[in-house]
Amino acid sequence: MLRNGLPEVIKYAFIGEQRIGALLSEAGGLSKLRSEQALMDIVSWSVKYKASVTAGDYRDRSGLRAALNFGHTVGHALEAASGGNSIGHGEAVALGMLVESFAGQRYGITPRGHA
Ligand SMILES: [Zn+2]
């Protein structure tokens, strides 16, 4: 569960949501997330955050939701290429964020040092 859920949480930090970084710090870091309450706080925050972004751009027209898709273009391709069973969504998104960060860096969109 953590292997597929945490990349989506980490994605929120990458797209600039500082609150998730604070929650992770308060929990003592990623390695301490075995605490049920810390994990629940982070999952709760993540669900509310995603709901607020999607509600604010319900029809995906303002571009607000685009940041939520970080890692998903490549990630969905990996999931499809694996036949949908051998790689989990979160694992695919984690790899997708890495690939998309390198691609962004290559094309001058992502600042150097972020990939
Ligand atoms: Zn996802």
Side-chain angles (χ1 to χ4, degrees), residues 2-17 20 24 30 49 66-79 87-106 109-111 113-115:
L2 288 177
R3 198 161 81 185
N4 278 299
L6 284 180
E8 296 278 0
V9 169
I10 292 167
K11 175 189 72 182
Y12 295 135
F14 284 146
I15 65 175
E17 277 306 314
I20 197 64
L24 288 169
L30 288 173
Y49 175 74
L68 294 179
N69 294 331
F70 178 45
H72 284 71
T73 300
V74 171
H76 288 163
L78 291 170
E79 287 179 281
I87 188 167
H89 179 73
E91 293 173 300
V93 169
L95 291 169
M97 289 190 290
L98 187 63
V99 170
E100 292 171 18
S101 292
F102 275 113
Q105 199 170 278
R106 168 74 174 83
I109 299 165
T110 304
H114 282 241

Side-chain angles (χ1 to χ4, degrees), residues 50-64:
K50 185 171 184 175
S52 74
V53 170
T54 53
D57 186 17
Y58 183 70
R59 298 202 183 272
D60 200 9
R61 291 187 175 155
S62 73
L64 287 173

